[in-house]
Amino acid sequence: MTRGLLDVVRAGALTTVQDAGRPGHAHLGVPHSGALDQPASRLANRLVGNHFEAAVLETTLDGCSVRPRRTVLAAVTGAPCPVKVDGRPAPWGAWVRVPAGALLEVGPAVRGIRSYVAFAGGIDVEPELGSRATDRLSGLGPPALTAGDTLALGPPSALPPPLVEAVPHRAPPAHLVLRIAPGPRADWFTPAALRLLTAARYVVSAGDRVGLRLHGPVLARRTPAELPSEGVVLGAVQVPPDGQPLVFLADHPVTGGYPVIAIVDRRDLPDAAQAVAGVPVRFVQSSSWGQRY
Amino acid sequence: MTVERTPRLRVLPYGPNALLVECADHRQVQSLHAELLHRRTVGALPPVREIVPGERTVLLDGLDDPDTLAGQLSGWTLARTPDEVPGPALRIPVRYDGADLDHIARHWQVDAAEAARRHSAARWRVAFCGFVPGFAYLTGGSGLPALPRRATPRTRVPAGAVGLAGPYTGVYPRASPGGWQLIGTVVDIRLWDPHREPAALLAPGAQVYFEPVPG
């Protein structure tokens, strides 16, 4: 089989091409980007026999519909959702054969936000700085999908479909528990704020590919000083002057001028990326809390 | 035997895979950054995914064992000034025709021609990048009075516009909103191209000479 084409019939609220992102360019102002729920995108790739870092589609809340022009294996993971092939129910979290010209419908998320759709061969758009990922902050990578777009698919691997048809894969949690380590500017906050961070309950107020905004008790600063712009890592919990924490996700700016109070354990970020507005959030201290250099 | 200056590096914890190193001033940031790049080139730095200079800090991200490196950093001897560290040098032709040239000249209490001469006579160096990919903050115009940003940012600054703000000068890598005071426009050179290697001509550590081109 050779390359194929994929026609976008319904783009959904925000469907982007994502892969493992473009690390190693932060010093040039380039965000890491890539799939927000990496375990889900890797699983989708594995189910269709791709390299686990191949490019997939990342949907937002209401899925998308596409029509491949050649018969292709596809798999939908991440946020659980109804999947249909030409109107007939098909499994989620398992590989599905989509015949040439058939409509693959990825329905609205039942839990969580982002579903991942992998196709054997991967989405084959032109890479920029080594990645095909759409970066919503800096505009690198292909634009978000719109109805009528046509995407290229790469040649599928010669391997037979995986022996397993489906893999156990839990749905996004209804309550978010984020393990944190101390941030570089934890000492810019009052002792009460540091206690509040792990004692109080926060609620997701909004989120996008840049970060997750939380609402809850105000984290008060010890000093109102201005922070010169400094490098920021994935999972950093930044606190703007309003005292409401923001957890940085894959498209976060590489430098920031607000103090970082804590860093969320990378293993908890896929769940954070699936948290809808209203989900309660609790921060817990990871084992490294309290260690200072 | 020279007396080594105390580096005064402060290492701040940044989770299980990163360190933030705080420097005394932006010159020390540039010295530390050059030292890190040198050590990485000669294989004397543990694997690190990102080395990101900021205004007063250098972030090291993607480290396997930040604690060990944190312990070693305080013993490092850094070059006294960034000028002692050679960096790639780049000549950028500029037409001094910026929309704020007269405003900048008034601020510096000179005429427009003299403002252009001073900007092109300074030895600039990329301190750090940010804002958008390929946007470099250049320092080195220490004799030039710092300029405040425009009270109202422009909704669109064209690609290649050369601006000034605070102690920095910079070139807009692509059209974007922006509040810097515009002094000129680069000529025949694309500073940012994601399909080129290197994508950014202005990477941290690069030395830059702005060459006036007649309008």
Side-chain angles (χ1 to χ4, degrees), chain A residues 23-30 126-129 138 140 181-185 187 228-233 236 255 260 263 266 293, chain B residues 10 12-15 18-20 22 49-52 54-57 59 61 67 70 129 133-134 174 192 194-195 199-200 203-204:
Chain A
H25 303 285
H27 62 290
L28 302 178
V30 175
E126 183 69 24
E128 287 188 350
L129 296 175
S138 72
L140 286 168
R185 303 297 173 188
D187 60 355
S229 250
E230 62 190 24
V232 185
V233 304
T255 57
V260 169
I263 297 100
R266 241 156 239 241
Y293 296 112
Chain B
R10 196 171 153 234
L12 304 170
Y14 211 144
L19 290 176
L20 189 67
E22 195 169 54
R49 191 175 60 240
E50 313 274 5
I51 301 177
V52 189
E55 284 187 76
R56 292 287 178 273
T57 54
L59 170 71
D61 191 14
D67 294 17
C129 295
R174 60 173 203 224
W192 169 253
H195 297 289

Side-chain angles (χ1 to χ4, degrees), chain A residues 21-96:
Chain A
R22 40 181 79 80
H25 303 285
H27 62 290
L28 302 178
V30 175
H32 187 291
S33 194
L36 290 187
D37 188 343
Q38 283 285 334
S41 66
R42 286 169 181 227
L43 176 61
N45 274 320
R46 286 199 171 103
L47 284 168
V48 296
N50 285 349
H51 185 270
F52 64 93
E53 291 182 346
V56 301
L57 297 181
E58 179 184 275
T59 67
T60 308
L61 289 170
D62 68 345
C64 67
S65 301
V66 294
R67 200 188 292 277
R69 293 193 199 169
R70 72 157 151 81
T71 300
V72 65
L73 288 190
V76 183
T77 64
C81 59
V83 179
K84 285 180 188 170
V85 176
D86 264 349
R88 295 160 66 97
W92 168 92
W95 63 264
V96 178

Side-chain angles (χ1 to χ4, degrees), chain A residues 128-153:
Chain A
E128 287 188 350
L129 296 175
S131 166
R132 297 178 167 85
T134 298
D135 176 345
R136 295 284 289 169
L137 186 78
S138 72
L140 286 168
L145 266 54
T146 55
D149 284 353
T150 301
L151 296 170
L153 297 176

Side-chain angles (χ1 to χ4, degrees), chain A residues 219-241:
Chain A
L219 299 169
R221 285 228 216 136
R222 202 197 277 270
T223 156
E226 285 272 316
L227 183 69
S229 250
E230 62 190 24
V232 185
V233 304
L234 187 65
V237 184
Q238 195 187 56
V239 184

